[in-house]
C-alpha cells in the first residue's frame, strides 16, 4: 500500500488542494549536501517558479521532484502521497501523470516531430495508431505547431523545438507539468511567446506547473508563487509581489542583478587596465 501522508501546513488548505508538498527535503551527493531542508507547497492549478543563481540547487531540486534523484531525507508529497516511498508500480503510475519539458528540448533527432510526441503514448498506452495520430495532431496544435508532425527536429528553430518538447510533455494529459529553463537560449520575442503558451496551458487545462528559470521577466509574468534558492536553502517564498518587497540581502542581490564581490572586483580591475570608469552598481 502506498505511503499516504497528510502534509503539515500552517494554512487551512486541505491536502487534496495541494499538488506538491515538499517537506524538509535534503539531497546529498557523497558527503556533500546540496539541498538543506527545503520546504514549499504548490496548490493544484497554480504555477510555481523556482529561481536562483548557478549552483544554487534548483536543477537538483527539479531532478528530485521528477524522480531522477532520490532524496537523502525529507518528503515529496504528490497529492498527499510520499512520492519517493511509493512502490515501483505506483511510482511509475504517478510518473505517467507528470510531464517534463527539458531545457534542450531533448527531442530524438532520428525521429520526426510527430514520432517524438507519439512516443509516450506508444510506450504507456494501448491506443491504436490512428487514435495516437489524432492525439499527436491535437497536441501540436495546442502548442502552435499544427502541420509540423512530419518535420525532423533539425528542421525546426530553437523556439519550435521547445514547443515540440512541450507537446510531447502534454501527450499523456499530465496533472503536473515541469519546465527546465523554458526560455534559455531564445531571443526575447520567442521567449515571450513561450511565456504566453505556458499561461494559455494553465488557463485551458488547469494544470499545476513548476518552472525552473533564471529569467526574471519570464518568472514574474507566469508565476503565481515563487521561491528563491541560495546555496541549497530557500531564502524567499511567496507571491511575486512579496518577492519584490523582500529586503533579504541575497534576494535583493539576485533581483537587482548585483554581482558577487569577487566578480565586481575583477570588473573594476579590468576597467582600470582599460582606463574605463566603473559604473555605479548601487
Amino acid at each position: 500500500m502506498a505511503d499516504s501522508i497528510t502534509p503539515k501546513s500552517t494554512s487551512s488548505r486541505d491536502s487534496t488542494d495541494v499538488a506538491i508538498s515538499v517537506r524538509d527535503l535534503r539531497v546529498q551527493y557523497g558527503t556533500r549536501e546540496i539541498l538543506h531542508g527545503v520546504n514549499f507547497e504548490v496548490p493544484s492549478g497554480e504555477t510555481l517558479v523556482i529561481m536562483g543563481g548557478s549552483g544554487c540547487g534548483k536543477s537538483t531540486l527539479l531532478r528530485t521532484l521528477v524522480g531522477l534523484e532520490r532524496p537523502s531525507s525529507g518528503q515529496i508529497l504528490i497529492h498527499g502521497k510520499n512520492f519517493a516511498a511509493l512502490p515501483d508500480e505506483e511510482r511509475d503510475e504517478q510518473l505517467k501523470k507528470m510531464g517534463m519539458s527539458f531545457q534542450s528540448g531533448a527531442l530524438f533527432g532520428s525521429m520526426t516531430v510527430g514520432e517524438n510526441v507519439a512516443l509516450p503514448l506508444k510506450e504507456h498506452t494501448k491506443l491504436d495508431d490512428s487514435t495516437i495520430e489524432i492525439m499527436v495532431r491535437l497536441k501540436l496544435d495546442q502548442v502552435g505547431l499544427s502541420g509540423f508532425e512530419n518535420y525532423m527536429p533539425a528542421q525546426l528553430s530553437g523556439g519550435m523545438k521547445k514547443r515540440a518538447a512541450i507537446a510531447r510533455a502534454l501527450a499523456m494529459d499530465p496533472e503536473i507539468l515541469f519546465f527546465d529553463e523554458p526560455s534559455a537560449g531564445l531571443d526575447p520575442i520567442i521567449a515571450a511567446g513561450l511565456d504566453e503558451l505556458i499561461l494559455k496551458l494553465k488557463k485551458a487545462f488547469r494544470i499545476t506547473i513548476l518552472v525552473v528559470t533564471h529569467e526574471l521577466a519570464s518568472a514574474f509574468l507566469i508565476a503565481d508563487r515563487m521561491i528563491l534558492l541560495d546555496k541549497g536553502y530557500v531564502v524567499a517564498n511567496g507571491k511575486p509581489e512579496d518577492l519584490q518587497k523582500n529586503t533579504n540581502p541575497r534576494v535583493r542581490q539576485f533581483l537587482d542583478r548585483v554581482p558577487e564581490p569577487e566578480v565586481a572586483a575583477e570588473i573594476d580591475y579590468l576597467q582600470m587596465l582599460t582606463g574605463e570608469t566603473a559604473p555605479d552598481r548601487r
Side-chain angles (χ1 to χ4, degrees):
M1 182 178 293
D3 181 11
S4 183
I5 302 172
T6 302
K8 297 176 183 179
S9 176
T10 56
S11 72
S12 59
R13 189 185 297 120
D14 189 87
S15 63
T16 56
D17 295 327
V18 178
I20 304 172
S21 183
V22 174
R23 291 287 174 255
D24 196 29
L25 181 67
R26 296 176 182 272
V27 177
Q28 105 180 38
Y29 300 143
T31 59
R32 183 187 177 198
E33 189 172 77
I34 308 299
L35 298 177
H36 314 294
V38 171
N39 292 276
F40 64 86
E41 288 185 346
V42 189
S44 297
E46 291 196 4
T47 298
L48 174 76
V49 171
I50 299 173
M51 300 186 299
S54 297
C56 71
K58 59 184 185 294
S59 294
T60 296
L61 175 56
L62 180 61
R63 288 173 58 83
T64 307
L65 291 173
V66 299
L68 296 176
E69 301 285 352
R70 289 277 186 173
S72 306
S73 63
Q75 299 171 336
I76 300 170
L77 308 178
I78 308 293
H79 294 296
K81 293 183 178 180
N82 190 357
F83 177 58
L86 289 176
D88 289 344
E89 186 175 341
E90 289 189 46
R91 196 163 178 267
D92 289 343
E93 286 302 310
Q94 180 57 59
L95 285 170
K96 293 176 186 178
K97 301 174 184 178
M98 297 158 57
M100 174 74 184
S101 177
F102 295 92
Q103 179 176 340
S104 63
L107 299 174
F108 292 99
S110 60
M111 302 169 66
T112 66
V113 170
E115 289 169 340
N116 269 279
V117 177
L119 189 59
L121 296 168
K122 288 181 178 293
E123 287 194 347
H124 300 300
T125 74
K126 296 180 180 179
L127 297 172
D128 58 63
D129 289 345
S130 61
T131 302
I132 290 177
E133 183 178 344
I134 292 171
M135 292 187 69
V136 166
R137 290 178 179 175
L138 285 172
K139 299 307 175 186
L140 288 173
D141 182 61
Q142 287 168 1
V143 301
L145 287 181
S146 180
F148 283 86
E149 57 266 27
N150 294 320
Y151 281 64
M152 301 300 290
Q155 296 175 295
L156 303 182
S157 67
M160 294 168 75
K161 288 177 183 177
K162 298 265 191 177
R163 288 175 179 267
I166 295 171
R168 184 177 60 188
L170 290 169
M172 297 284 291
D173 293 322
E175 297 173 354
I176 305 172
L177 192 55
F178 296 89
F179 289 89
D180 183 15
E181 298 284 3
S183 303
L186 301 178
D187 68 56
I189 295 175
I190 301 299
L194 280 179
D195 291 340
E196 290 298 328
L197 175 59
I198 291 172
L199 290 170
K200 184 183 83 169
L201 292 174
K202 185 184 80 168
K203 182 177 180 181
F205 303 109
R206 302 187 64 81
I207 300 176
T208 303
I209 297 174
L210 190 146
V211 180
V212 167
T213 185
H214 63 273
E215 301 285 348
L216 292 178
S218 174
F220 280 98
L221 177 65
I222 65 177
D224 292 306
R225 350 181 138 241
M226 312 170 87
I227 67 171
L228 180 63
L229 288 178
D230 181 52
K231 298 178 181 177
Y233 295 94
V234 174
V235 293
N237 182 348
K239 295 181 179 179
E241 55 268 30
D242 297 329
L243 261 73
Q244 291 282 26
K245 299 173 185 176
N246 195 305
T247 59
N248 181 299
R250 295 298 285 177
V251 176
R252 296 274 30 109
Q253 181 182 22
F254 184 80
L255 296 184
D256 298 336
R257 303 181 66 192
V258 178
E260 292 286 0
E262 61 269 21
V263 175
E266 289 177 10
I267 293 173
D268 288 341
Y269 177 69
L270 289 172
Q271 289 170 333
M272 180 184 70
L273 291 178
T274 58
E276 296 179 4
T277 302
D280 186 356
R281 286 188 294 270
R282 289 178 296 173

